[in-house]
Amino acid sequence: MMQGGSVFASTISDKASMDDRRRVLFPYDDDHRDYTWVDGKRVISWGRDNQFPWKAIRTVRDTTVLNTGLKFLWRLTLGQGIFPCTVEGFDDDGNEILKPVDDQGVKRFISSRMVRRYMEKVLRDYLKVGNGAVQFVPNKNGELVGMNPLNCLQYRYTEPDANGTQHCVVAGSWDYAPSTDYWMLPLLPDYDPDTIAELMKFTGKGKYGFVYSVHDAWSNEDIYGEPIWWAAWVLGWIEIAHMIPKFLKKAYENQTTWKWHVQIPYSYWDKKFPPADFKTTKEREDAVNKYMDSIERNLLGAENAEKPIFTNYAVNEYNGRIEEEWKITPLSNKYNAGQENLVTSSAANSEILFSLMVNPNVMGSQMPGGIYAGNQGGSNIREAFLVNIANAWIDRQNILDPIELYLKMNFKKDVELRFRNTILTTLDTGAGTTHKLS
């Protein structure tokens, strides 16, 4: 609210509807947390009714531009894979001088399906719900033998105790608190997971494995985090993106396009169907309707579209007008609600992509004019793509941390991991793409 000596203005927001949306999908409540008890430990509910991951995944699945935008980030962040190396120094421009690792065991591990499966599944949940988790799997001797990405639909975290210790509870369903058929695994702390993992291995407390949580820290929510697209949901843009296609589908299903206006004089029917030729009025009406149906069929467009509209008019007997004259005139179809809604739909698509920090031009989503207008030239798209790669560093490092911990605990080597990228270039370079490391 703003108030001055000569001006008074106020802004009104629909707080009730925003609170309703928050209650449906919000990963946690600002003032209250729900809990469920498993084996004597308080498990923090993930959203209302502990169903946030399921509802978030359904929202992503059912929203075209959100699903596509997240999949774009998913593919961009993964790049063309990773490779192990060591940093030997820096050149005069400040670029790293990298040396490939020759250890065949490390190379086999990095190129294995297990690592690729971990990266794609944990990053998937990281983008969709704001949190991913991976289980470090040991053998009977306590040596790590695998990395098993956990599905966000199947795990929840316990409340930290006085020492900050947490557990990850893995169960097939969270419709109710599991009493049997669940795993309770130690959860590495966010502060120094590497040291705690080494300590658990040394003391033998991790004989059933432990869990490494990967979450987006931007939300300040340290338990589950929030997805990157959350603001677009709270402000209603995702709902608008759902409503426009439904409205247009209903409009096109129900609309009738009037193509012809047929005007028939009343006197025509007296000559064409004289009342004396019919025993009852009903018989005469049936004959007229059958005749009208045959005329209508001749005027219909493809698949019975472009219907004619029939009206009757009276003939002034004193002006000499021909009584049998029919007037058939074409009608212009000025239905434009579809165009107006397409503009709104484009705005919703752009706002959703903005929440993902994706330039709409990269996705081919732009409006021809106004505040959302953009230049879809090759340079604009290329620069937006490079910005996305630059911004992907923190997300890439988050999903690399568990892999680097696995390498440290299994191979005892100082190994760095870098991503391969394919970069779009201009034609004057002599190539359409170039390969870079990051």
Side-chain angles (χ1 to χ4, degrees):
M1 178 178 293
M2 298 180 294
Q3 187 172 359
S6 58
V7 177
F8 178 84
S10 64
T11 57
I12 301 175
S13 60
D14 189 2
K15 185 177 184 302
S17 62
M18 293 181 66
D19 288 344
D20 287 341
R21 286 193 289 272
R22 288 164 63 88
R23 280 193 291 271
V24 171
L25 274 181
F26 210 28
Y28 71 100
D29 190 297
D30 288 327
D31 303 318
H32 174 73
R33 287 188 185 274
D34 291 328
Y35 298 89
T36 185
W37 291 88
V38 177
D39 195 21
K41 296 184 182 297
R42 294 215 305 180
V43 177
I44 302 174
S45 294
W46 199 346
R48 188 175 178 84
D49 299 326
N50 209 10
Q51 294 297 313
F52 171 75
W54 181 83
K55 293 176 180 177
I57 290 171
R58 184 179 62 179
T59 299
V60 172
R61 180 199 65 191
D62 295 344
T63 310
T64 307
V65 69
L66 178 59
N67 186 66
T68 303
L70 288 176
K71 196 167 187 178
F72 168 77
L73 290 179
W74 181 65
R75 292 178 181 273
L76 179 137
T77 305
L78 292 176
Q80 275 67 56
I82 59 175
F83 72 98
C85 61
T86 57
V87 180
E88 300 297 311
F90 299 88
D91 61 19
D92 294 338
D93 296 326
N95 299 314
E96 293 178 332
I97 300 175
L98 303 177
K99 179 182 178 180
V101 171
D102 294 328
D103 189 297
Q104 294 300 315
V106 173
K107 293 169 68 175
R108 279 195 300 269
F109 171 72
I110 293 300
S111 61
S112 67
R113 180 181 179 276
M114 179 173 65
V115 171
R116 186 176 69 252
R117 177 174 174 267
Y118 152 76
M119 292 178 65
E120 65 176 353
K121 290 196 173 184
V122 168
L123 182 59
R124 174 201 65 192
D125 290 349
Y126 179 89
L127 293 173
K128 284 187 175 182
V129 302
N131 188 288
V134 57
Q135 175 193 5
F136 282 64
V137 183
N139 60 18
K140 63 180 180 180
N141 297 323
E143 299 174 346
L144 296 179
V145 294
M147 300 175 67
N148 178 41
L150 302 177
N151 192 318
C152 64
L153 298 173
Q154 299 174 341
Y155 67 83
R156 299 293 185 271
Y157 299 146
T158 62
E159 184 180 43
D161 63 15
N163 297 319
T165 303
Q166 288 181 271
H167 288 79
C168 176
V169 184
V170 185
S173 172
W174 286 94
D175 293 335
Y176 50 85
S179 57
T180 58
D181 298 328
Y182 65 86
W183 290 351
M184 185 169 292
L185 302 171
L187 179 66
L188 295 182
D190 193 47
Y191 173 68
D192 189 2
D194 293 23
T195 301
I196 300 301
E198 293 280 6
L199 182 62
M200 291 177 60
K201 182 179 180 180
F202 178 76
T203 59
K205 293 183 179 180
K207 64 178 180 177
Y208 297 111
F210 49 83
V211 173
Y212 198 126
S213 175
V214 181
H215 67 270
D216 188 344
W218 178 251
S219 67
N220 292 83
E221 161 55 21
D222 293 331
I223 303 299
Y224 294 117
E226 293 173 10
I228 187 174
W229 49 268
W230 180 247
W233 171 264
V234 172
L235 294 176
W237 288 112
I238 292 177
E239 287 183 307
I240 293 174
H242 285 185
M243 293 166 62
I244 298 299
K246 292 179 181 178
F247 173 83
L248 292 176
K249 180 180 178 182
K250 201 68 176 178
Y252 284 117
E253 284 178 350
N254 295 330
Q255 82 157 340
T256 299
T257 303
W258 302 108
K259 181 66 175 179
W260 306 102
H261 182 195
V262 182
Q263 297 172 276
I264 308 170
Y266 289 111
S267 57
Y268 172 82
W269 301 115
D270 291 335
K271 290 189 176 182
K272 183 67 177 177
F273 300 98
D277 292 349
F278 300 91
K279 295 180 180 180
T280 63
T281 303
K282 182 67 167 58
E283 288 183 4
R284 184 170 181 264
E285 289 177 353
D286 292 342
V288 171
N289 289 334
K290 184 177 180 180
Y291 179 75
M292 293 292 293
D293 289 342
S294 66
I295 299 298
E296 183 179 24
R297 283 194 296 271
N298 290 329
L299 295 175
L300 287 175
E303 297 184 1
N304 293 332
E306 300 179 344
K307 293 181 177 293
I309 180 172
F310 293 92
T311 62
N312 294 282
Y313 67 94
V315 176
N316 189 335
E317 297 178 356
Y318 301 102
N319 64 6
R321 183 177 295 177
I322 301 174
E323 294 183 353
E324 290 80 5
E325 178 187 26
W326 281 36
K327 298 178 181 179
I328 302 179
T329 55
L331 297 174
S332 61
N333 182 12
K334 297 182 179 180
Y335 177 77
N336 60 1
Q339 293 298 322
E340 295 174 358
N341 283 283
L342 288 176
V343 172
T344 304
S345 179
S346 296
N349 290 344
S350 296
E351 290 288 348
I352 292 171
L353 291 175
F354 294 157
S355 74
L356 303 180
M357 296 181 67
V358 173
N359 189 323
N361 289 319
V362 176
M363 308 298 297
S365 173
Q366 73 156 357
M367 295 173 64
I371 60 174
Y372 294 98
N375 176 16
Q376 281 189 303
S379 297
N380 196 24
I381 295 174
R382 183 171 54 256
E383 290 172 5
F385 182 76
L386 293 176
V387 169
N388 280 131
I389 291 180
N391 286 334
W393 181 85
I394 186 62
D395 295 329
R396 286 179 166 183
Q397 194 56 50
N398 282 338
I399 63 172
L400 288 182
D401 286 343
I403 303 177
E404 293 177 347
L405 173 60
Y406 188 96
L407 288 172
K408 184 187 301 183
M409 296 183 69
N410 264 27
F411 297 94
K412 305 298 182 182
K413 290 181 179 293
D414 184 17
V415 177
E416 298 281 348
L417 298 175
R418 293 295 182 268
F419 280 85
R420 298 183 179 92
N421 300 304
T422 296
I423 304 299
L424 303 175
T425 60
T426 56
L427 295 178
D428 57 10
T429 63
T433 60
T434 184
H435 297 284
K436 298 289 184 181
L437 306 177
S438 66

